[in-house]
Every structure is written in C-alpha cells, then in structure tokens.
Amino acid sequence: MPDSLTRSCPAKVNLALSIGSPLRDGADAGMHPIASWMVALDFGDTLTLTRLVDLPSRFDLSFADNAPRPSPIDWPIEKDLCHRAHALLQAHVRHDLPVHLSLQKRVPTGAGMGGGSGDAAGTLVGLNDQFHLGLDDATLSQLGSQLGSDVPFFIAAARGQPSALVTGLGNVIEPLPLRTTITLVLIFPPIACPTGAVYRAFDQSMPQPATHRAPQSDRVRTLAASSALSPHALFNDLAEPACIVQPALRRLRDNLIQQLQMPVHITGSGSTLFVLAADRPHADQLAAIIASASALPIIIATTI
C-alpha cells in the first residue's frame, strides 16, 4: 500500500437541472427527485491521504493560496464531510483506517458546486484504494448517498464518468459521454444560498394546490445529446428560487447579462454563476468583460 496518495476532488456544475415535486410518502418524504446533467470540472480541491501507523487519525483543512473566494473554516471537524466519510467507511469495514487527511480547498463553501460532496467522494474512493478495501463502486455510492445527494455523481466522476444524467434523489447515475470539451467562465459572488431555503422557495413557487410534477429527464437527456450546445438551452429550476432567497444574486446576474449580451446561469442552488464559452479565447474575452464590470473572482474551467 502507498504511504501517501493525492487526488483531485473536482467541482461540478449543473448544465441542466429539473426538479420534481417533493415525495409524499416513505422515508424520503419531503425530498425532491431530480433530473440533472452534471459535469465535473478541472477546477476543484486537492486531497492528500497519508497512512499512519497509530491512531488517532488527523485532519487538516485549509483554503489554497489560489482559492478564488476563501472563507474561514469555522465548522467543527466532526461535521466536515471528509471526516464523516472517513468515519462512515471505518464503521462499514469494522476496523480503523488511521490516516492523516489534508485538504486544500479551492471550491467556495455554499457555492452550489458540490465542494464538500466532492471531498467526501474523494475520501471514500481514496481510502478504498489506499487501504485495498476492495469495495465496489455501488457500495461506495450507497455509503456516499448517506452523506449527500451529489456524492454518488462524484464517485462516478472519480471512476471515469465525469458527465452524467443524475436522477432519483441523486443516486441514479447514467453516463453521458461529452461530444467535446466544454469551457465555462465561473463567477463567485460573496453570497450564500442555503439549500433548504432555496428548495422552500421552489415549493412555494409551485401552483397551489400543488399537482404532482416529475423531473424532466427526457428534456435533460435530449439537451446532452445535442450536436451543438447552445447557451440559451441550459436551464435550472432552482435559479429563480435562489434569486428569490438572495435578491442581490438576481441583480448581479441581470447586470452581467446586460454586459455580456448572453445568458448567465446559476449552478445548483447557487450562488456560483457561469457562462458557456465557445472556446478558450472566447472565455478569455468574456472574463475580461466581467472583470471590467465587477471585482468578483473569476475562474475559467473546462470539463474533464
């Protein structure tokens, strides 16, 4: 077994996100089924796992020097998804996995890019590989779904499926191989969009009395199969609710739309904004316009 292992934990964007009505019965009552085209990016966090001879395991979290929007790591380590993934895997295999886990974060917290979920997936996959546990991806995904709905996608991405139709409660992954590399300009406003509040705004925006609404998986699959991806075709059912929760996000998005004269999208429940570029030179042009219109952090990223 290697003494140390370093892996990338990519961020994701939702190029399309359709939300269904909340489930009414069973253990998952109140949860929303989704249909989303998710893609993993070459922008993300860096995780290093070093095996230890003795307990206890150690966890070091910090923002990297080149993080676009660093913030204080002010949550208890026990609540961090890396720590929880490590504890969950130890409980599953019923023995200790002594490790020094070091995480260099770049994905902002509360950005709608799955930063914590990607880190949890990286922890599960990394520990499984490093300690030769022999767990298959289905088992890792089942464990990951206990930590967050995006974790199974990131496990699939780590295994070579970085573009997928994600349905159910995030637990059903259908690979959607990309026709070409997608280039995006990411914009990081200093705004937090609490996921719970955004979903409540979504529920309140539905017609009353509420009728059952299924996520539009066929629409998402058709979009992903398009020969040419149009910026106007991308959509996100949570974009408007996110703007209701954070009116400043709407003002910022509308201002950027005016400056760029093209669609500006929101990923997940917000608050990260992104623009679809034709290629890297086009992305550079868009980034220059955005930089002149605001002082917001900007990253140009591509799909992996």
Side-chain angles (χ1 to χ4, degrees):
M1 292 183 291
D3 289 331
S4 186
L5 177 153
T6 297
R7 64 179 308 114
S8 173
C9 300
K12 60 85 180 171
V13 294
N14 304 81
L15 295 176
L17 177 56
S18 176
I19 307 293
S21 304
L23 301 177
R24 297 177 179 177
D25 303 307
D28 296 320
M31 301 290 288
H32 294 74
I34 68 167
S36 181
W37 181 15
M38 294 187 189
V39 292
L41 305 178
D42 63 355
F43 165 69
D45 299 340
T46 301
L47 175 72
T48 300
L49 299 169
T50 303
R51 287 190 299 115
L52 300 178
V53 175
D54 299 313
L55 295 172
S57 290
R58 303 198 308 271
F59 300 83
D60 294 323
L61 314 179
S62 62
F63 273 92
D65 292 340
N66 61 347
R69 199 190 76 193
S71 59
I73 297 178
D74 53 5
W75 55 89
I77 188 61
E78 293 78 14
K79 291 186 177 296
D80 189 82
L81 283 174
C82 285
H83 187 281
R84 291 174 58 195
H86 177 259
L88 184 64
L89 195 56
Q90 284 191 145
H92 181 79
V93 300
R94 298 183 179 181
H95 63 80
D96 293 321
L97 303 171
V99 68
H100 176 205
L101 184 153
S102 176
L103 181 68
Q104 288 282 297
K105 293 182 63 64
R106 294 178 184 84
V107 183
T109 58
M113 302 188 75
S117 294
D119 298 339
T123 301
L124 292 173
V125 172
L127 291 172
N128 184 52
D129 291 348
Q130 189 177 37
F131 285 90
H132 291 193
L133 300 178
L135 302 178
D136 60 25
D137 292 346
T139 299
L140 293 176
S141 292
Q142 188 278 326
L143 290 170
S145 66
Q146 300 177 46
L147 300 168
S149 60
D150 289 339
V151 179
F153 165 73
F154 284 112
I155 290 174
R159 297 307 197 199
Q161 298 172 357
S163 170
L165 171 65
V166 180
T167 56
L169 296 177
N171 57 318
V172 182
I173 312 296
E174 176 187 331
L176 295 175
L178 292 173
R179 293 174 176 268
T180 187
T181 299
I182 297 172
T183 303
L184 304 171
V185 182
L186 308 174
I187 307 117
F188 302 101
I191 299 170
C193 293
T195 302
V198 173
Y199 269 98
R200 286 192 293 273
F202 171 82
D203 289 340
Q204 292 166 5
S205 70
M206 295 183 69
Q208 299 296 327
T211 56
H212 178 71
R213 164 176 163 164
Q216 298 176 298
S217 56
D218 288 343
R219 179 186 177 190
V220 177
R221 189 181 287 107
T222 299
L223 174 63
S226 302
S227 57
L229 188 60
S230 167
H232 297 275
L234 308 186
F235 70 96
N236 178 0
D237 285 350
L238 293 182
E240 178 62 21
C243 290
I244 292 172
V245 171
Q246 289 288 10
L249 184 61
R250 183 194 307 280
R251 293 192 294 270
L252 174 60
R253 184 192 61 180
D254 291 349
N255 178 60
L256 290 173
I257 290 172
Q258 184 177 15
Q259 295 289 330
L260 298 171
Q261 292 297 297
M262 65 181 299
V264 177
H265 301 281
I266 296 172
T267 184
S269 57
S271 62
T272 300
L273 302 165
F274 70 92
V275 183
L276 179 65
D279 49 31
R280 179 59 192 241
H282 185 216
D284 290 335
Q285 294 172 5
L286 294 173
I289 296 172
I290 296 167
S292 68
S294 74
L296 296 174
I298 304 166
I299 290 285
I300 296 175
T302 62
T303 51
I304 57 176

